[in-house]
Each structure stands twice: as C-alpha cells, then as structure tokens.
Amino acid sequence: MIQLKIFQKNVNHLKLLKTFSTTVGKSAPKKGIAVGVYENGELTSAASRVNIESQGKVMEILKGSDLRLGITNLAHNLIPGYDVVSLVGAGAKNAGMDQAENLDRLNENIRIAAGRAAKSLMDEDVALIEVDPFTNAEAAAEGAILAVWNFDYLKSDENKKVEPTVLCSEKNEEDVWERGRIKAEAQNFARVLTQCPSNLMTPTHFVECVIDKLCPCGVQVEARDRKWMQEQNMEAFLSMATGSTEAPLMLAPDYCGGNPDSKPVILTGKGVTFDGHGVCHDRQCDPEFSADMAGAAVVVATIKALCELKVPINVNAIIPLCENMPGGNAVAPGAVFTALNGITIRIDDTDHDGRIFLVDALCYAARYKPCLTINVSTLHDSMRIALGTGATGVYTLGDGIWKDMSEAGAKSGDRVWRLPLWDHYRVKVQSDHGADLTTVGKGLGGHPCSAAAFLKLFAPPSEFAHMDISGTGRKSSGINHPYLHKNLMTGRPVRTLVDFFCKYATRKD
C-alpha cells in the first residue's frame, strides 16, 4: 500500500493535513483468486488446482469459450475460501522473445493476464487477491500490483475504491514474487508523485514525500536550499527559478549498496513541479504541466527499488526542484548565464527550461567522479510526437550501456529506442549571439536530439545516457499496457531502469 503525506502552506508554515491510505471496511473482506488459461485451453498449475477443488467446474465454464489474452471470466463461490475466481486468458504458453518487437512476449503476456484478472477482482470489491504466478511470478506481481493502483487519495472516504492486498497464490513462488512487488510498488510511488496536483506537490512537498519513503529503506537523503546553491554559484538553475514564489531545492538521495570505494552511478532528473513556461507562452495551459517532474519521480522511485532489492551498486542522485513560472522576476528571453563549468548560455526560449535546470546538477555531478551518468527528463514534447507512448528515447554513445538498456526494456515490457547523439546536434546549439550556447537549436527540427547534445556538454567525463520520457513518463494512452490506467500517470520507465542497474552492477563487478 502507498501512503501519501500531503502538505499545504499555511501562514508560511508547512502543516500536515492528512495521511491518505486505503483500508478495508468493517465487514468481512471479500477474497478472490486469479488463475490463467492458455490459448489452447490448457490450465496453469494454479488453475488446475482450482479445477480439482471445484470438481471440474472450471473446465465446464471454459467449454465453448475463447479466453484470449487478457479476457476474464468471473465465477462466484466456485471453491471454498474464495468469493470470486477470475479465469483469465494467458496467451500462448510457448511465447518467447520477439526480436522484431524487442519484447519478451511471455513476460508481457503474464503482466497483461495478471493485471486484467486482478483489476476484474478489484472491480468486484475484492479486498484480498491471490494471483497465479504463471511461469514468472515476478512479471505476475508487476502486472497485478500496477493494475490495482488508482489515484483516490484526494477523494472523500465514501468515494474511494478499496485498494486490495495482492499476494502470490503459490507459497513456493513468493521470493520471486517479492522482486516484482518491489519494482511495481516503486513505479506506483513515481505515479503518485507525478499524479499529485502541483499545489500539493511543490518542491518542498516533493522532498518531504521522498524523505518519508526513502529514509526508512536506508537511503540517505539531503535537501539543499537556495543559500547553498548560491554558495555553489549555480547561476543557471537559480535564474530559471526566479519567477516562482516557491523556494527551489536541490535534492540528493544517495544509495550505497556496493563497495564504498567503487565509483558511483549518477542519476539526475528534471524536477519542475509545475511548468508555466516562464514568460514565453505559446501553448494552452494544461494540468499535466505539473507532471514535468516525472524524471525526478522516476529517479527517486528507482533508488527506492534498488535499495529494497539490495542491488550491489552505489547510486547518487542530484535532482533540481523548482517551478517555472511567469512572475515579475522571471528570466527574460535573451538573458545570458554562466553554468558551473564556465560555459555561458543564452536563454532564447524560457519554455526550454529543463536543460537550464539540469546543467548545474550535471556539472556538480563531476565532483563524485562517477563511472556513469544517466539523466531522466521530460525534456522536449517533440519526443512525444516522434515515439508516442511506445518507447523512451535514449541517447548514449556507449554501446554497452545501450545494449543493457535495450535488454532491460525488452524484459520489463517498457521499451527504449536509441536516438543519435552526434556532433551535428552539438553544433546546432552553439550560439551566434555572443554566448557559448543557446537553448534553441539552429535550423529546423531535431529538438530532442539538440537538447540531449546540449546536456552532454555539461555531463561528467564518463559514460553518459539521457532518457527523454516526454512520451512515456506522463499520462498513459491505454495502448499496449492494459495494466496501466488510461489517463493516469505511468511512472515509466522505473522497472526498466531497475532491471538495467541489476545487470549493470553485475557487469561492472
């Protein structure tokens, strides 16, 4: 269960309003079980057990039916101990790696089946759901736990749905299930942070939520204020935060799971808790602009999962948090500022806030002497147009990094696609107006690529990857991921990053 502490400003003080959580009513909770049926009619082991306990009634129900992947059939009071049984189509039993799609079909089929079945039981007000592990309990846990999540925290009690407890139906698979549970709940944490409205998820609120969730796991969390940033000469970041009355913060969660002497991985994430586009208004205002901190949410959720999984790796995150608002002190187009590494930047469009917010964080990261730096951001909406919600755009010159990232995406079902980080795009961001760089690339198109090339100029001298999650990290389209609610935030690509780091830690050793 996710508990979300929501704070509100009251006479310049933060006052705790309420802790929202889901609880089961006083009446006896309903109990249900979800079991799978392959496309040839063969039952999974869990379904076979239910069939035996029901004296063959499962097979009778299935006669003449065609349970395609994700389609469910509910049976009430079928076996003792369960109020509802959800029979769900699990697709082909022999599904495997689809090279053309770069997707592990078997794992994704399991997520879809487990998610659809768990959601069908949730819709029946079932409070305790047991889920068939199929042939991969980790994938089953991911699909089921992602599917039953819903953002009801701000509703009155009478309008909240019960968020059920989801367990593995087979005791001998619980250890594998636990890995999937940890990853799915981490992704759900990112969804909560991203879904929360901007007045309840300011930079200060974001830090409070992260401290509340990560510190009990063993992650060290520090939050640094404007004074500290001024002492560090973070002129670029502070310049973009001047339009808002909300104080900017630099959040630094650190996880030390490897040898203390080993070089860390650096994660940076864009943490714009509301993007009002500064003084450059060319788009209709959208409440989804509060999701411009999806990169920051993914970073902290990834660290949470790595810590709970005890992955042997050291990860330091640097997350700039602020609002980009059109206030009286907001930076104007044409202004020039100096980044920590001495490079001057001309701000030609205040809507290109992400790259300005991130440059000082990337420069500061060099002090850690990392072996790898990964930035996660909703950096440019053109990425949404190019790739939609199908894949996260990845920019890296490291073939090994890309290979591991691509394999992690295939395994998690949350895929990535490589895009060019060529000198062509670095040249595009060189300024012709007296500064070193401009935030608006020269020539037509290629804006996400130019943004990635811009960021690389400030990254530490080690392997670097930039993940643009503009299409994947915000609202779900409801296409191809039925275990993610349409029009709610996705929390993507948390599980891909976790799987990547699990493999990277082994390869690094």
Side-chain angles (χ1 to χ4, degrees), residues 359-422:
V359 295
D360 285 335
L362 288 167
C363 291
Y364 189 79
R367 303 184 184 190
Y368 292 87
K369 298 181 179 178
C371 57
L372 169 65
T373 301
I374 297 179
N375 177 67
V376 187
S377 300
T378 50
L379 205 57
H380 205 287
D381 276 347
S382 294
M383 182 61 66
R384 213 174 195 176
I385 297 170
L387 297 181
T389 60
T392 293
V394 173
Y395 297 85
T396 182
L397 297 178
D399 291 338
I401 297 299
W402 166 247
K403 181 176 180 294
D404 288 351
M405 192 82 74
S406 179
E407 289 176 357
K411 177 179 181 289
S412 71
D414 193 352
R415 291 171 287 180
V416 294
W417 189 254
R418 193 177 190 179
L419 292 161
L421 193 58
W422 298 333

Side-chain angles (χ1 to χ4, degrees), residues 147-182:
V148 300
W149 178 82
N150 199 36
F151 193 82
D152 282 349
Y153 306 102
L154 304 181
K155 292 183 179 180
S156 56
D157 290 342
E158 58 269 22
N159 289 325
K160 289 180 184 176
K161 291 182 180 179
V162 172
E163 185 175 332
T165 299
V166 183
L167 303 172
C168 183
S169 67
E170 310 301 308
K171 296 294 184 184
N172 62 333
E173 295 283 353
E174 286 181 345
D175 288 345
V176 181
W177 173 277
E178 181 67 2
R179 288 184 57 84
R181 180 198 66 80
I182 288 171

Side-chain angles (χ1 to χ4, degrees), residues 437-454:
L437 302 176
T438 173
T439 59
V440 179
K442 292 175 283 190
L444 296 175
H447 300 302
C449 302
S450 298
F454 182 95

Side-chain angles (χ1 to χ4, degrees), residues 19-32:
T19 297
F20 293 98
S21 63
T22 53
T23 57
V24 178
K26 293 183 179 179
S27 58
K30 293 174 70 174
K31 186 177 180 181

Side-chain angles (χ1 to χ4, degrees), residues 314-373:
N314 299 330
V315 180
N316 299 100
I318 306 172
I319 303 170
L321 295 162
C322 63
E323 294 180 336
N324 180 23
M325 303 294 276
N329 292 325
V331 64
V336 175
F337 295 96
T338 305
L340 269 180
N341 62 356
I343 293 177
T344 56
I345 306 163
R346 177 184 166 99
I347 301 174
D348 287 314
D349 187 345
T350 60
D351 189 25
H352 291 180
D353 55 323
R355 61 203 76 179
I356 304 301
F357 287 134
L358 289 162
V359 295
D360 285 335
L362 288 167
C363 291
Y364 189 79
R367 303 184 184 190
Y368 292 87
K369 298 181 179 178
C371 57
L372 169 65
T373 301

